[in-house]
Amino acid sequence: GLDEMGEGKGTGFTVNLPLPSGTGDRQYARLYRELVEPIGMAFGPEIGLVSVGFDPHALDPLAGMNVSERGFAEMTDVCVEIADACCNGKAVFVLEGGYDLNAIAGSSADSSGCRFAARSCDSVMRTYPSRAAFMKKAIVRSASVLRSS
């Protein structure tokens, strides 16, 4: 809840932001820019660890929120800016959840691969016109790379 603020040296750096149903891009962006970013900068992490959940996507059947791919990209930008400023860009983004596969695929693409490799994004999306197909291919390839290492 709102009263959970962290413990010990982490006091003040645990922030819960309960939001009403229907909250969308504009409100999330404002919260991330006005609260999450300054708190993250003040904390000064050595590495950014981001648990990425796409549950607030407008297409997600459970959360009742209204965030789009662009909204997730904006939140990702804030996390990347914190990592750039505090820990030389070191950050790990781990996919956590969401219940609409197309929303997960589109949001993942907009927030990660296509944002970090903008020049190749158009050719990737031409090769895999379905975002779900693109993400499936990326996941299969990632698993293959992990198995071989």
Side-chain angles (χ1 to χ4, degrees), residues 7 15 35 44 46 68 72 74-75 78 82-83 87 106 121 142 145:
E7 299 177 9
V15 182
L35 292 173
E46 294 178 27
S68 71
F72 286 109
E74 175 70 20
M75 289 184 265
V78 170
I82 294 168
C87 44
C121 182
S142 297
V145 169

Side-chain angles (χ1 to χ4, degrees), residues 6-125:
E7 299 177 9
K9 292 181 180 181
T11 300
F13 295 106
T14 296
V15 182
N16 292 306
L17 304 169
L19 302 171
S21 181
T23 301
D25 293 348
R26 194 178 85 249
Q27 296 90 350
Y28 270 89
R30 183 172 180 203
L31 285 169
Y32 266 67
R33 290 287 176 199
E34 294 181 15
L35 292 173
V36 174
E37 186 173 22
I39 291 168
M41 296 290 194
F43 183 70
E46 294 178 27
I47 187 169
L49 299 175
V50 183
S51 178
V52 182
F54 295 115
D55 306 67
H57 194 282
L59 296 177
D60 191 276
L62 299 179
M65 296 302 200
N66 197 26
V67 178
S68 71
E69 286 85 352
R70 178 64 207 132
F72 286 109
E74 175 70 20
M75 289 184 265
T76 300
D77 287 346
V78 170
C79 295
V80 169
E81 288 169 18
I82 294 168
D84 286 344
C86 298
C87 44
N88 296 321
K90 293 183 288 188
V92 176
F93 290 75
V94 179
L95 181 58
E96 174 196 327
Y99 298 93
D100 183 281
L101 294 179
N102 287 320
I104 293 170
S107 298
S108 296
D110 283 5
S111 297
S112 61
C114 290
R115 297 193 68 70
F116 299 122
R119 282 176 265 157
S120 65
C121 182
D122 288 337
S123 64
V124 168
M125 294 310 255

Side-chain angles (χ1 to χ4, degrees), residues 133-145:
F134 167 71
M135 288 308 295
K136 181 178 178 185
K137 181 73 172 179
I139 290 166
V140 168
R141 182 169 181 172
S142 297
S144 166
V145 169

